[in-house]
Structure formats: structure tokens, C-alpha cells
């Protein structure tokens, strides 16, 4: 399954571990502003998933150490794909 969304930024984070040792629940929040962790902006969409890993291809990212979250800014669009192996692949168009 592959979906493309219009968004200015995303935050990717993990949730509390479930019983499955290989897969973890996570969220991908989509925003209309850059650096949403600083703005207090509410996400326009939240995608919940359970996966072993998230693959981020061709995008500049920020890793936020205090919250263990990843922020991707300056997006035009972002594509989120659930792969056949059970991973999530994130790609998109990003302004420089």
C-alpha cells in the first residue's frame, strides 16, 4: 500500500513496545508547518503503524535526541509505503 500526502513536515516517532519483539508501534504525523515540535501545531493527519523498521530514502532529516523523534522539514509531498517485507518506506519531494 502506497499513499502520497501534501505536507510541509512530518514527525516520526515510536510508541510503547507491544508483545512482539520484532515489531514496534509507531506514528507518522503530517503538518502544514516546518519544525512542528517548536510550534505546538496540531497534526493534520496521524498515521499509526506497527513495523520493524522505517526506511527514509532521499530526504534530509533531523533526529531529535530528547524525544527520539525524527523531523523532516521543507516537504512538498511525502509518500508512505508499506513494503512487502512489513517495513515502511518514506520518500517525497523536498525543497532545498
Amino acid at each position: 500500500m502506497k499513499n502520497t500526502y501534501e505536507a510541509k513536515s512530518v514527525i516520526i516517532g515510536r510508541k510503547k513496545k507491544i508483545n512482539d519483539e520484532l515489531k514496534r508501534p509507531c506514528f507518522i504525523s503530517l503538518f502544514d508547518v516546518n519544525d512542528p515540535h517548536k510550534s505546538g501545531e496540531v497534526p493534520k493527519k496521524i498515521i499509526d503503524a506497527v513495523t520493524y523498521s522505517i526506511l527514509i530514502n532521499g530526504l534530509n532529516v533531523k533526529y531529535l535526541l530528547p524525544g527520539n523523534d525524527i523531523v523532516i522539514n521543507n516537504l512538498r509531498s511525502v509518500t508512505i509505503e508499506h513494503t512487502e517485507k512489513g517495513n515502511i518506506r518514506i520518500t517525497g519531494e523536498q525543497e532545498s
Side-chain angles (χ1 to χ4, degrees), residues 8-19:
K8 185 75 174 169
S9 67
V10 298
I11 293 179
I12 304 164
R14 62 181 181 203
K15 293 181 171 184
K16 191 173 183 177
K17 190 174 180 178
I18 56 175
N19 293 335

Side-chain angles (χ1 to χ4, degrees), residues 3 6 12 17 21-22 31 33 35 41 44 46 49 52 54-56 59 63 65 67-68 70 75 78 80 85 94-95:
N3 292 304
E6 287 187 19
I12 304 164
K17 190 174 180 178
E21 291 182 21
L22 295 178
F31 296 88
V33 297
D35 292 320
E41 185 85 14
K44 68 179 192 175
I46 299 174
Y52 174 71
I54 296 179
L55 313 168
I56 302 169
L59 298 171
Y63 177 57
L65 294 174
N68 291 313
I70 293 174
L75 293 169
V78 63
I80 301 169
K85 293 184 178 182
Q94 193 172 38
E95 300 170 2

Side-chain angles (χ1 to χ4, degrees), residues 13-72:
R14 62 181 181 203
K15 293 181 171 184
K16 191 173 183 177
K17 190 174 180 178
I18 56 175
N19 293 335
D20 187 337
E21 291 182 21
L22 295 178
K23 293 190 177 184
R24 301 270 321 223
C26 64
F27 63 88
I28 303 167
S29 299
L30 288 77
F31 296 88
D32 285 330
V33 297
N34 280 325
D35 292 320
H37 60 290
K38 294 179 181 178
S39 72
E41 185 85 14
V42 176
K44 68 179 192 175
K45 182 168 184 68
I46 299 174
I47 300 164
D48 290 309
V50 177
T51 187
Y52 174 71
S53 68
I54 296 179
L55 313 168
I56 302 169
N57 298 118
L59 298 171
N60 295 321
V61 302
K62 285 187 195 177
Y63 177 57
L64 303 176
L65 294 174
N68 291 313
D69 296 332
I70 293 174
V71 175
I72 306 172

